[in-house]
Amino acid sequence: MTTLTPQNPALTTPDAVIPAPTAGHDRGSRGRDGDGDGWRELIDAVRESGQYPTRTEAEQVTRVVLSALGSHVVGDERVDLARALPEEAARLIADRIPATRVLTAAEFVDSVALRIEGATPATARWDVSSVLSVLPARVGDALVTRVLAQLPPGYALLFGRAELAPAS
């Protein structure tokens, strides 16, 4: 088992780091219903899930995590995920250039930690789980299952699911 520490991070190359979303990316924050309720509801769910003290903090974490996820979900799953989310969240998923290699779950968490000021691997794991665990209720379990099928083992836990190993 590899132990991740600041001296031994999972990410070792600059190309493995996912760039942070640019400030001012918000082009209206309108949900699919046209009045912004979808985006606000998503942020409120993340705020409650992660117990963030402010909506601003929950929104920042949501933007970082969804943009990171958008780099790793491709094909029909990416399109369907974007369609199922409020417009602003959909942009965060769809506007990302696909990653050149899929990160393990630990590398994904580490990449998020690098993009959140003052984050540690433990706080980044909390942030990632706070965002990803609210998605099944919003996009449906079937779509989350399809997304997880694209990703390496370990991501299910980040979505709040048990990681089941096949029987041998």
Side-chain angles (χ1 to χ4, degrees), residues 69-82:
L69 181 65
S71 296
H72 294 287
V73 178
V74 296
D76 291 341
E77 287 71 23
R78 181 179 179 152
V79 171
D80 292 346
L81 184 59

Side-chain angles (χ1 to χ4, degrees), residues 25 27 78 90-97:
H25 181 70
R27 291 183 232 149
R78 181 179 179 152
R91 280 192 206 105
L92 294 168
I93 296 287
D95 285 354
R96 298 294 125 198
I97 296 170

Side-chain angles (χ1 to χ4, degrees), residues 38-60:
W39 177 249
R40 282 192 294 274
E41 288 173 6
L42 177 62
I43 298 305
D44 288 343
V46 170
R47 182 177 179 192
E48 182 177 326
S49 173
Q51 301 176 352
Y52 296 105
T54 66
R55 285 186 97 257
T56 301
E57 188 175 352
E59 184 170 0
Q60 176 201 14

Side-chain angles (χ1 to χ4, degrees), residues 6-136:
Q7 297 78 24
N8 182 23
L11 298 175
T12 57
T13 60
D15 62 329
V17 178
I18 302 164
T22 56
H25 181 70
D26 187 306
R27 291 183 232 149
S29 295
R30 297 168 53 95
R32 293 286 187 225
D33 55 10
D35 63 6
D37 284 343
W39 177 249
R40 282 192 294 274
E41 288 173 6
L42 177 62
I43 298 305
D44 288 343
V46 170
R47 182 177 179 192
E48 182 177 326
S49 173
Q51 301 176 352
Y52 296 105
T54 66
R55 285 186 97 257
T56 301
E57 188 175 352
E59 184 170 0
Q60 176 201 14
V61 166
T62 302
R63 288 180 182 282
V64 170
V65 172
L66 290 181
S67 65
L69 181 65
S71 296
H72 294 287
V73 178
V74 296
D76 291 341
E77 287 71 23
R78 181 179 179 152
V79 171
D80 292 346
L81 184 59
R83 284 183 181 156
L85 290 168
E87 186 176 330
E88 186 60 28
R91 280 192 206 105
L92 294 168
I93 296 287
D95 285 354
R96 298 294 125 198
I97 296 170
T100 55
R101 75 173 183 90
V102 177
L103 301 177
T104 67
E107 290 171 331
F108 182 83
V109 168
D110 287 344
S111 74
V112 169
L114 293 172
R115 298 169 58 198
I116 298 175
E117 186 178 338
T120 65
T123 61
R125 198 168 29 258
W126 179 270
D127 294 336
V128 170
S129 292
S130 295
V131 175
L132 298 184
S133 68
V134 303
L135 293 184

